[in-house]
Amino acid sequence: MHTPDRDRRPGFGTLAVHAGQEPDPSTGAIMPPIYQTSTYVQKAPGEHFGYEYARVSNPTRTALEGNLAALEGARHAVAFASGVAATDALIKCLRPGDHIVASNDLYGGTHRLFRQVFGPFGIRSSFIDMTDPDAVEGALTPETKLLWIETPTNPLLRVVDVRALCDKARARGIDVAVDNTFATPYLQQPLALGADLVVHSTTKYLGGHSDVIGGVVCTNRDDWEEKLRFLIKSAGAAPGPMDCFLTLRGTKTLHLRMQRHCENAARIAEHLAAHPKVGRVYYPGLPDDPGHDVARRQMRDFGGMVSFVLRDETLEKALHVLSNTTVFALAESLGGVESLINHPATMTHASIPREERLKAGLSDSLIRLSVGVESVEDLIADLDRALAGV
Ligand SMILES: *Cc1c(COP(=O)(O)O)cnc(C)c1O
């Protein structure tokens, strides 16, 4: 990927559109073909074009990996069949007896994977409030091998100071992984803040159109890349070429979509904060949000996710709002062009035991919005109509 001026690194938008891709040399096709093949013919035994078997590698996947690595400013990107498959491969690089310290406010599936899948294999995990440096200090043990950071957190949109935690971890030889799904590399680049690994569910903003499941791990560490490539080959959580193609089409407009997601979310957060029926609004872009200052330091903008509770925090009233929007669709997931409304307690975070949920500050009446790129007036009118009924 070169700009006319070879000394200048291309800007984010140029990388989003072009990185990892060259016109197809045999036809000039501007989009990388969907290499729907399981194997590759060799000229002589062991003499091939760099591709032997499609579980291990595929040219459409290579193009996607080149694109995602460029967006995260990483030397390597390894694409997986889903976000949890990416996380699964990363945790399989640990050993029985190792310990993970993770945020207590995170993607429910990550909690389930750490506790219910890896727990029985002897990998322990502690879930704590990562915005509290003393809580992090208190959770570290000599066995701790990995800090797992999500920021902004899901669903309370707390902001974790990535650089501060990376400094703390490095001093003790602990690796840091950041799940950057909510922020995307357009808003935040954890490797530049000191992280060893960045994980994405590309299902969300990177794909951006709610039509594909995928994941990726980005890293500058050659040892980690080698371990992850070994796991793709040996455990097989490979993404298909069609899915890689769709994700690659999504990333071309990531910067444009994120600008609108952020703009719309900021308008909605301000509107809700001033609404008489709304209690607390969780959005790091609000000046009085506890994460505002750290977010301003480590993020370009504040993202497209907004959570809130009603002033009258009853489950019944929250369910009324959740069932009465028409533009916001009631669904799990996030990061697509369309706006979604979600009830973490019964939907995305139902796999976390209720007591742990409440302890983490995640109330039964919390409502989470994934603000899409529709006309913001329609989104505000939709929420107002649903709120009027409570
Ligand atoms: C959705 C999500 C995941 C899991 O990704 P899948 O692609 O659904 O497997 C992980 N982390 C976060 C923050 C997510 O939102």
Side-chain angles (χ1 to χ4, degrees), residues 94-95 97-101 141-147 173-176 224:
L94 303 184
R95 289 291 166 262
D98 287 352
H99 176 238
I100 306 166
V101 173
T141 73
E143 286 72 44
T144 307
K145 291 286 154 52
L146 187 70
L147 274 194
I174 298 169
D175 285 345
V176 177
W224 269 106

Side-chain angles (χ1 to χ4, degrees), residues 82-85 107 110 150 154 179 181-182 201 203-204 213-214 334:
S82 69
V84 295
Y107 178 64
T110 303
E150 225 182 87
N154 179 10
D179 182 336
T181 301
F182 269 38
S201 167
T203 312
K204 315 296 168 51
I213 296 276
L334 60 110

Side-chain angles (χ1 to χ4, degrees), residues 86-120:
T87 308
D88 173 77
L90 200 157
I91 304 304
K92 276 184 186 143
C93 297
L94 303 184
R95 289 291 166 262
D98 287 352
H99 176 238
I100 306 166
V101 173
S103 161
N104 64 357
D105 174 28
L106 88 174
Y107 178 64
T110 303
H111 184 281
R112 184 175 56 208
L113 180 67
F114 286 5
R115 268 283 157 83
Q116 298 185 43
V117 177
F118 285 107

